[in-house]
Amino acid sequence: MKIPRTWKWTEIFLSYNDIFVRHAFGNYKDILREVAYSPMMGEFLSHLGNKKAFGNNRPDENFSRELMQLFTVGTKMLNIDGTEQQVGGSHIPTYNNADIRTFARAWTGFDREYRRGNLEGYWFMPNRVDPMLIDGKWRDPFPKADLLGGYIGDKYPLCIDLPKRQFLRKGAVYRLQGSWNMPEVQYDPPSWKDMDRKYFELVNVSGLFQYLCNSNDISGTCDFRPEIYLNENLSCRGHECKVENVRLVKVQDVYYEYVRPACIELSFHKTEDLKLIVDTQSDTAMCLHRQIDDIAHDACCRKGNTVARNFCKFSGQRKSFDFASDQCKADDGFAGMCAWDEIFASPPCRLDSLSVQYHWTDQSCETWIGGKRIKVFLITMSTIEA
Amino acid sequence: MVNLTAKDQLRQRVAWALSEVLVISTHLVSETSFHEILFPISPSQLKNEIIDR
């Protein structure tokens, strides 16, 4: 690639080229991953800012197409020696338009990482060096098939099958954030960055504290490492026992982010497992599996009252339906979830009224939209059937 | 041009070959992305944002 002589800023291209330098003798899969997440490739093949289907918007198919046509399988099925496979004198296509549309949905939600201080250029320029992040709001939520009849995510465990309090179990991973108080692989509303939050602060009798603090002198001074793996199952201490999951944990003056293991959330469930969740800000409601513990917030009601309260051990704590019900009764003297029509969700649990936060109701739920049941056709886009 | 004189010539040349496969170019990618700075949200995106709310 030729960079024009007049260009002053070159770091963006050099950092892209460094992907190939790093992996020159490595694995092509690693190159593909880094290229796909590169904001430069995101700009070039337009999956940066690509959004799920809504209204008249359809996901951009550019990267999905080129990834197969130019970067990987190509358009024709080949024999092991590289010659074309033939059936009745014609070649066999590797994929069709439906495959491209399916994969286009997989390349949605990509956006730029926050800018950091030590990048070339002015402070107001976008971050064109670090791998893109995925914004759940614009991510297509439906299943995505692969070319061989399987689904993306096959072989991973279901999230609801993972043991409770995975963050205290052997193999749990924590990343050092320093003083940066926003989770990076999990989600908090960006507007919370400068707000006075209630953090999940560890006390020094906790086993998790000992791991993260990593102190080896008698004064107890922490020796923070960039990444921490738990080598054993820890038992919960204090408020650790009152949460199902964590995002940021505070250890003295620094933050660690808990990195959730890769797992699968199914798009469709049996009706009896579903409860209705509602967000008043966007005035929307959805069905959620009652055991999913990192989407919805609690809404505790007194008997016969429809004004609900929200409780938390840290700002934005999310709970499963059953855990939320138990906590309402045990800790706060309420009756449980209800069909609330008003909710008091105020600091420190909810810091602003603008961010989207879903709250549990005790209402049953079916995956119907506008009186029509959703049906997902294999491989192609989800469609609404009358 | 460090990659013309670098000791790891094979690595640099493999990298160059890979960059010919996984291409990006200044044809579609600008130096400064000033367009994005001046117009952080395009009119069509803005419309989408409104529909979404």
Side-chain angles (χ1 to χ4, degrees):
Chain A
M1 187 188 64
K2 192 159 177 269
I3 302 174
R5 261 173 191 283
T6 52
W7 284 26
K8 192 163 70 174
W9 289 300
T10 53
E11 184 187 37
I12 49 175
F13 292 106
L14 298 181
S15 63
Y16 183 76
N17 194 67
D18 280 346
I19 296 172
F20 307 128
V21 175
R22 256 196 310 279
H23 298 293
F25 308 131
N27 192 318
Y28 192 62
K29 196 174 166 184
D30 295 327
I31 297 175
L32 280 179
R33 186 192 300 112
E34 286 207 39
V35 163
Y37 276 80
S38 159
M40 296 303 279
M41 181 54 84
E43 284 178 40
F44 188 65
L45 291 180
S46 58
H47 56 299
L48 171 65
N50 195 15
K51 295 179 175 61
K52 66 184 176 184
F54 62 94
N56 291 323
N57 184 69
R58 293 290 173 273
D60 187 286
E61 295 167 12
N62 205 5
F63 187 67
S64 146
R65 191 181 301 273
E66 305 294 26
L67 180 64
M68 288 194 284
Q69 184 174 339
L70 302 178
F71 302 161
T72 55
V73 291
T75 55
K76 299 168 183 173
M77 294 291 281
L78 302 178
N79 295 308
I80 198 75
D81 65 357
T83 56
E84 277 180 30
Q85 288 186 18
Q86 298 274 335
V87 172
S90 55
H91 70 268
I92 307 165
T94 323
Y95 55 87
N96 59 28
N97 265 325
D99 295 319
I100 290 170
R101 282 201 301 277
T102 293
F103 294 161
R105 293 187 292 109
W107 299 109
T108 50
F110 285 79
D111 207 345
R112 295 190 191 282
E113 188 53 85
Y114 292 96
R115 189 176 171 86
R116 54 185 162 89
N118 54 349
L119 297 177
E120 195 181 53
Y122 299 120
W123 61 270
F124 51 81
M125 290 180 172
N127 183 339
R128 302 168 89 194
V129 168
D130 293 326
M132 293 182 287
L133 53 79
I134 297 177
D135 181 347
K137 186 181 168 195
W138 299 117
R139 177 92 183 152
D140 176 277
F142 294 109
K144 295 155 193 86
D146 63 26
L147 286 179
L148 304 171
Y151 281 85
I152 293 175
D154 282 353
K155 299 174 187 171
Y156 284 96
L158 293 179
C159 298
I160 56 173
D161 286 345
L162 292 175
K164 286 288 168 202
R165 293 194 195 89
Q166 186 75 25
F167 68 96
L168 289 175
R169 296 186 71 90
K170 186 176 176 178
V173 179
Y174 290 82
R175 291 197 334 188
L176 181 62
Q177 297 266 90
S179 59
W180 181 249
N181 65 354
M182 292 294 285
E184 297 200 325
V185 287
Q186 299 196 66
Y187 181 80
D188 269 346
S191 58
W192 287 14
K193 190 167 98 60
D194 299 318
M195 293 184 182
D196 195 14
R197 265 186 284 174
K198 183 176 180 180
Y199 293 102
F200 194 73
E201 194 162 354
L202 301 179
V203 287
N204 59 7
V205 291
S206 119
L208 184 57
F209 180 96
Q210 305 293 342
Y211 258 91
L212 299 181
C213 173
N214 187 39
S215 169
N216 45 21
D217 70 49
I218 198 130
S219 70
T221 311
C222 294
D223 179 17
F224 297 114
R225 283 175 293 161
E227 205 159 47
I228 302 284
Y229 299 84
L230 301 190
N231 295 325
E232 60 191 310
N233 292 334
L234 303 174
S235 52
C236 62
R237 290 297 289 266
H239 61 341
E240 293 169 14
C241 308
K242 304 280 187 182
V243 300
E244 289 167 287
N245 52 52
V246 292
R247 298 196 287 283
L248 285 185
V249 294
K250 191 174 182 187
V251 184
Q252 292 182 349
D253 288 331
V254 311
Y255 304 96
Y256 273 94
E257 180 174 14
Y258 167 59
V259 183
R260 286 181 78 209
C263 62
I264 298 300
E265 306 276 23
L266 296 176
S267 300
F268 299 95
H269 297 280
K270 281 184 260 165
T271 299
E272 55 265 35
D273 291 331
L274 296 174
K275 290 287 180 189
L276 189 73
I277 58 171
V278 178
D279 170 54
T280 48
Q281 197 276 326
S282 61
D283 202 18
T284 52
M286 295 198 292
C287 297
L288 186 65
H289 191 292
R290 60 191 296 152
Q291 286 175 31
I292 293 178
D293 63 11
D294 65 342
I295 302 287
H297 305 257
D298 60 334
C300 299
C301 297
R302 297 195 191 283
K303 225 179 181 71
N305 197 330
T306 56
V307 179
R309 289 289 307 265
N310 175 238
F311 298 95
C312 66
K313 298 295 172 198
F314 59 90
S315 296
Q317 184 191 353
R318 301 162 194 148
K319 303 172 185 176
S320 71
F321 179 84
D322 296 328
F323 186 83
S325 299
D326 292 346
Q327 294 278 294
C328 281
K329 291 171 199 161
D331 286 5
D332 305 309
F334 283 71
M337 306 295 119
C338 67
W340 50 269
D341 48 35
E342 198 181 334
I343 183 156
F344 281 121
S346 50
C349 297
R350 180 175 186 159
L351 299 179
D352 59 355
S353 56
L354 292 174
S355 53
V356 171
Q357 285 191 13
Y358 284 91
H359 293 270
W360 289 107
T361 73
D362 66 346
Q363 303 295 292
S364 59
C365 192
E366 277 189 73
T367 40
W368 295 65
I369 287 181
K372 295 173 178 176
R373 189 158 205 159
I374 294 179
K375 185 174 178 184
V376 174
F377 293 111
L378 192 68
I379 298 177
T380 56
M381 290 276 302
S382 74
T383 7
I384 295 177
E385 187 195 49
Chain B
M1 293 287 275
V2 65
N3 49 2
L4 293 182
T5 54
K7 287 260 165 57
D8 54 352
Q9 278 299 299
L10 184 59
R11 181 180 288 275
Q12 296 293 341
R13 284 165 195 231
V14 170
W16 184 83
L18 284 165
S19 77
E20 295 287 297
V21 177
L22 298 138
V23 174
I24 57 170
S25 91
T26 54
H27 177 63
L28 284 175
V29 174
S30 72
E31 179 190 13
T32 53
S33 194
F34 270 132
H35 179 84
E36 190 174 312
I37 295 161
L38 293 173
F39 308 101
I41 297 179
S42 69
S44 67
Q45 274 181 314
L46 190 64
K47 204 173 116 226
N48 293 342
E49 289 272 355
I50 292 164
I51 290 168
D52 181 63
R53 296 213 173 260

